[in-house]
Every structure is written in C-alpha cells, then in structure tokens.
Amino acid sequence: MDNNETKKASLKKMKNVALSVLGIAVICFFVAHHYKIGWLKAISEAAMVGGIADWFAVVALFKHPLGIPIPHTALIPNNKDAIGQNLGSFVSDEFLIKEKLELKLDEFDFATKATNWLKEKKNAAVIASLVVENVIPGVLKTIDDAHVKKIIQQQFEIKMQQLNFGEWIATGLESLSKSDKQAQLITNVLTVLAAELEANKMEINEKVKKSTPWYTLGVADKKIAEGVFNGLYEFLNMAKEPDSSIRQKINRYVLDFIEELKSSPEMQQKISSLIIEFTQKEEVRDYIGSIWLELKNAVIADLEKGEESKIKLNLTRMIGDFGATIQNDLVMTAKINDFIKIDLLGVLLRNKKAIGDLIASSVQSWDKKEIADKLELEVGKDLQFIRINGTVVGGFVGLVIYFVEQFL
C-alpha cells in the first residue's frame, strides 16, 4: 500500500469514528425521549447540534455539504487563487528574510553534509556512474576527431619549435661527461661497432674486391681486405682501452663538442632544426594525430567494462578521497559554507518575489477538486477530531445547561 492509500484509509477510519460518536448521541436522544430521561435528552440534543455543526464546518472547507451549493462553503477550492497569492506572499515576506535565511544556512552546514555523503563509497560510486555512463560518452560523441587530430598536430609543432633541443642535448651530455657513464657508453658503442665489423667481414671483402683494378686478377683483393679489416678491428680494440691515445682523443672530441654546443647558438639551432624537420615528416604527423584516436578507443573500451572500468573505479576513489580530505580541512569547509551561504543567500533574496509568484501561480494552476482532495488527505484526519470534540463538548455543555435550568 502506497503513502496516499495509507492516508485515505486513515482519513476514512477517523471519519467513521466521528460519525460513530455522533451516532451514539442520536441513539441516546431516542432513548432519553422514550424513557423521559431529562439530563440524557439535554446531553444528546446538545451533542447532536455540536457534532452536526462541526461536521458542516469541516466539510464546508473542502466541498459543499451534501452537494448543496450553500454560500460560503467549499471555501478552499473557491478561494484557491487567493490562497495561492497569500501563501506566496507569506513565504516571500516571512521566510525569505536575510536574518532568518542566514541562521538556517549556518545551521545546515552544507560542506559537512556534502562531504559526509561523498566519502561514502556507494555515494561516490553513484556520481562516478553518472559521469562514466552519461557525461564522458556524451562528450566523446560530440567531439570531431579530425578537428582534434589537427589541433594536436598544431600544438605539438608549436611546442617543438619553442624548445631548444641543442641546449638540452648539451646539458645532458655535460652531465654524462662528469660521470663514469660516458666512458661506459663509449666502450659500449665501440664494442657494438667491433661486433658489426665482424658480422660484415664478407661484405667488406666484396667491397674491396669491387674497388681493386681488374688486372690484379684478384691476387691482392684478399690481402687488401684483410688489411682493412684487421686495421679497423685493431683500431676499435685499442680505442676501448681507457688509457689509449685513441680513447683520450675521443674523450677530448666529446668534451670539445659539448663546449661548442653549449656556446654556439648556431649549432643549437641546427640540431633543433634537424629534430623539428624530422617531426614534420608525414609519418610522424600521422602518428601524433593518431594519439587522440588511440586514447579515445582506450577510454571507450574501458567504459564498456562496466563495474570493472578503471576510469569508474579511480573516479569513485577520487570522489571519496575528495570528500574525506575536505571534511578534515576546517579552513576549506568554512570557505565552502561561506561561498554557498553568500551565493545562495544572494540568489534567494534577489528572487524572493519571483519565488512567491511561482508558489502563487503553482497553486492557481491546480484543479479545484484536486487541491481540495489533496488538502483533505493531508489534514482531514486531524480535522475529524473537531467533529468528535464538537459532539462531546456539545453534550457536556448541554448537561451544564440542564443542571443550571434545574437549579433556577
């Protein structure tokens, strides 16, 4: 049974109680009249008058008694427009006052209530669900992919042109040169070169053979190739030795290159230009532009996981953490309450007349029968006590009048 049905049942029950009390008075009247009991007759007569009068008064608020259009009955439906206007004026004049609103807003403590609500995991999950199920998909659908890709490419190029790669490389190399990592790096490079030389020995032989004159008949090819290969291999092995003259020259060359790169804007510009030129290649531009599609597809795929969505889980955790953090920050809590208080207070005070008019127009738009039925459903149960009291009090007054009459 819903709330309205419960109220209707309670109203009907109280009406039956009030009618039963009046019925008892009627029965007492007939008993007193038959057996000539004076005091009971006085009680029952006065009780019937009081009960019927109060029944008329209660019914007259909501409808015409017995359906008869007696003047000044059905007061609420016939005066609903005036009631709405007076109610709107009463709310705006009596409730929407700065002093009263300030007290209520101070008592409400919006920040504490909001943070208490947010830090509950189930509440944070509700908000996260609204975001991942409605906000994010809606935003993704409205975005023009081609436009976003173009913006990403343009912004990437702008940022690249603003960076001094030469200076960055010089700083990185200088930091490397001051540690033992430079020596290890050079050794690793030389080791790789030696390995590549060994792996390409046959190709070196072929290159030498193609470069020697035909009239040597290939006799000198092998010796020349062996000499070139052994010379390069020995050079690389010597260079790997930390104390070798070749290694010292390489170190010196690296240091000179770093110093020149640090002090030469022209060289820095050349390096930056080379890198920027590389980033402007079609393949690089396509890759940069594809970042958005990859990100978008990753987001969509994650959202499709439902309760297992990492975005939703992280958003839920962030919302809960936000609520807990704000709750423990008294300064922030006070600022939020002050902001809400000032902002909401301003809105209410600026629109107090509009709020009153809204209440009035809302009441005026209601159907007469509908408003009568709604109000009777809300307060009719308590109004039945007026009928009961009228019957009982009327009987008591009748008894008093009877004894006074007998005394006189």
Side-chain angles (χ1 to χ4, degrees):
M1 183 180 291
D2 60 23
N3 192 39
N4 278 345
E5 291 300 321
T6 302
K7 290 179 179 179
K8 287 179 180 179
S10 297
L11 176 60
K12 184 178 181 180
K13 180 180 178 181
M14 287 305 302
K15 283 183 176 181
N16 290 335
V17 171
L19 183 61
S20 298
V21 173
L22 179 59
I24 292 172
V26 172
I27 293 172
C28 289
F29 172 76
F30 285 110
V31 170
H33 183 75
H34 180 77
Y35 292 103
K36 309 298 182 181
I37 305 174
W39 61 270
L40 183 59
K41 183 179 179 182
I43 292 175
S44 58
E45 287 177 345
M48 287 190 295
V49 171
I52 293 172
D54 286 336
W55 165 83
F56 183 91
V58 170
V59 173
L61 288 172
F62 305 104
K63 61 188 73 172
H64 296 299
L66 301 177
I68 302 172
I70 302 172
H72 304 295
T73 58
L75 297 177
I76 289 175
N78 287 337
N79 294 279
K80 72 177 183 68
D81 291 349
I83 292 172
Q85 191 64 47
N86 291 333
L87 181 60
S89 299
F90 177 74
V91 171
S92 61
D93 294 341
E94 298 297 328
F95 289 96
L96 300 181
I97 300 174
K98 183 178 180 181
E99 293 75 14
K100 290 184 178 180
L101 289 173
E102 284 180 338
L103 289 174
K104 289 297 179 184
L105 291 174
D106 287 336
E107 292 174 3
F108 186 72
D109 191 4
F110 174 84
T112 299
K113 287 182 171 61
T115 52
N116 281 337
W117 190 84
L118 283 176
K119 72 178 185 177
E120 294 292 333
K121 187 175 181 180
K122 62 178 182 179
N123 298 329
V126 170
I127 297 178
S129 296
L130 290 174
V131 174
V132 300
E133 293 172 8
N134 299 291
V135 178
I136 296 178
V139 171
L140 292 178
K141 287 180 181 178
T142 59
I143 292 176
D144 184 348
D145 294 337
H147 184 61
V148 174
K149 288 173 63 176
K150 186 176 180 181
I151 290 176
I152 292 174
Q153 291 170 345
Q154 291 174 345
Q155 291 300 313
F156 177 75
E157 291 178 7
I158 292 172
K159 292 299 180 183
M160 292 292 287
Q161 291 171 0
Q162 292 174 349
L163 299 176
N164 188 339
F165 290 100
E167 185 177 3
W168 280 18
I169 292 173
T171 302
L173 290 174
E174 183 179 29
S175 175
L176 186 66
S177 67
K178 293 179 180 179
S179 67
D180 57 357
K181 292 182 180 179
Q182 176 184 322
Q184 184 61 46
L185 179 62
I186 294 174
T187 300
N188 291 341
V189 171
L190 293 171
T191 302
V192 171
L193 289 174
E196 287 297 315
L197 184 65
E198 181 72 33
N200 293 279
K201 187 174 182 179
M202 294 298 297
E203 188 175 347
I204 292 173
N205 288 335
E206 290 296 323
K207 294 287 184 184
V208 172
K209 184 177 180 180
K210 289 180 181 179
S211 300
T212 55
W214 63 270
Y215 53 80
T216 61
L217 302 178
V219 175
D221 294 352
K222 186 174 181 180
K223 288 187 177 181
I224 293 173
E226 286 290 337
V228 172
F229 177 81
N230 291 335
L232 289 172
Y233 200 78
E234 184 179 352
F235 175 83
L236 293 174
N237 284 330
M238 289 176 62
K240 287 192 286 185
E241 296 296 328
D243 298 329
S244 67
S245 59
I246 298 174
R247 184 59 168 265
Q248 291 176 3
K249 287 180 180 179
I250 294 175
N251 289 335
R252 185 71 261 166
Y253 174 79
V254 172
L255 293 174
D256 290 343
F257 175 77
I258 292 172
E259 287 300 321
E260 184 178 3
L261 188 57
K262 284 174 59 180
S263 59
S264 174
E266 292 80 7
M267 185 174 288
Q268 293 177 5
Q269 182 60 43
K270 286 181 180 179
I271 292 176
S272 295
S273 298
L274 286 172
I275 295 175
I276 291 173
E277 184 179 350
F278 171 76
T279 61
Q280 290 178 341
K281 289 182 177 296
E282 193 65 30
E283 297 84 354
V284 178
R285 286 173 56 83
D286 288 343
Y287 173 74
I288 298 301
S290 68
I291 292 175
W292 160 247
L293 291 179
E294 292 179 7
L295 177 61
K296 178 180 177 180
N297 291 332
V299 170
I300 293 174
D302 182 78
L303 295 181
E304 290 175 350
K305 295 179 181 178
E307 295 301 321
E308 299 300 320
S309 166
K310 291 183 179 179
I311 294 176
K312 181 176 180 180
L313 293 173
N314 288 328
L315 191 57
T316 300
R317 178 181 54 79
M318 288 170 57
I319 293 171
D321 292 345
F322 173 78
T325 301
I326 296 298
Q327 187 181 50
N328 296 325
D329 190 337
L330 298 179
V331 175
M332 183 59 71
T333 301
K335 286 183 178 180
I336 293 174
N337 280 333
D338 287 342
F339 175 79
I340 295 294
K341 176 181 175 181
I342 294 171
D343 199 49
L344 184 58
L345 190 63
V347 171
L348 291 174
L349 292 177
R350 286 194 302 271
N351 297 281
K352 59 184 299 183
K353 186 178 185 304
I355 294 172
D357 292 342
L358 175 63
I359 295 172
S361 62
S362 297
V363 174
Q364 290 169 2
S365 67
W366 293 347
D367 179 77
K368 289 184 177 182
K369 185 177 184 307
E370 181 183 4
I371 189 173
D373 291 342
K374 284 183 177 180
L375 288 176
E376 185 177 17
L377 200 60
E378 294 299 327
V379 299
K381 176 184 174 182
D382 295 326
L383 291 178
Q384 301 311 308
F385 285 103
I386 295 177
R387 295 174 55 189
I388 296 171
N389 293 337
T391 305
V392 174
V393 172
F396 177 75
V397 171
L399 181 62
V400 171
I401 293 173
Y402 174 80
F403 282 119
V404 171
E405 184 181 14
Q406 293 300 317
F407 177 77
L408 294 176

